[in-house]
Amino acid sequence: MYKKIIPALFTLLLLVACADKNEKKETAEPMHEHSTSGATEKNLYKDVVFDSKKDFACGMPVSAGVSDTAHYKDKVYGFCSKECKDEFVKNPAGYITSK
């Protein structure tokens, strides 16, 4: 009888563990929504003076909220998301000259 119960319990535990992982994936934040993650991030950069009025990657006004920053040639640039900052970091000179 134990030969049947042990594999059944193992299978049940495996299913529960997989279901838990799937729930975490579904509740993850969506990618780049052109908005800040919360009021704490807005407050984090409230006293920073940025060298640009818009997010270089997507064009969103910096005044709408900044959730990440990048430094390039002694200047500070604000971005609405990490994804936009990552795009800028790939080729900052290209974004600056197209400004």
Side-chain angles (χ1 to χ4, degrees):
M1 180 162 171
Y2 288 110
K3 290 182 181 179
K4 291 181 180 178
I5 292 176
I6 292 174
L9 286 174
F10 179 75
T11 304
L12 181 62
L13 287 172
L14 184 63
L15 289 173
V16 170
C18 289
D20 186 44
K21 287 182 182 178
N22 288 336
E23 286 179 20
K24 289 179 183 175
K25 286 181 183 177
E26 292 173 6
T27 58
E29 283 188 37
M31 294 295 289
H32 189 50
E33 292 287 332
H34 286 101
S35 64
T36 59
S37 297
T40 57
E41 287 180 350
K42 283 183 182 179
N43 292 335
L44 182 64
Y45 301 112
K46 70 179 181 176
D47 297 326
V48 178
V49 176
F50 297 104
D51 291 294
S52 64
K53 302 280 186 216
K54 291 186 177 185
D55 182 324
F56 282 115
C58 70
M60 183 175 173
V62 174
S63 61
V66 173
S67 66
D68 211 341
T69 62
H71 297 258
Y72 180 71
K73 292 190 175 183
D74 296 327
K75 294 187 178 187
V76 180
Y77 300 101
F79 300 91
C80 68
S81 69
K82 181 183 181 319
E83 291 82 9
C84 284
K85 175 191 171 184
D86 291 344
E87 284 299 312
F88 172 80
V89 170
K90 289 178 187 176
N91 182 15
Y95 282 105
I96 301 286
T97 57
S98 68
K99 176 177 110 171

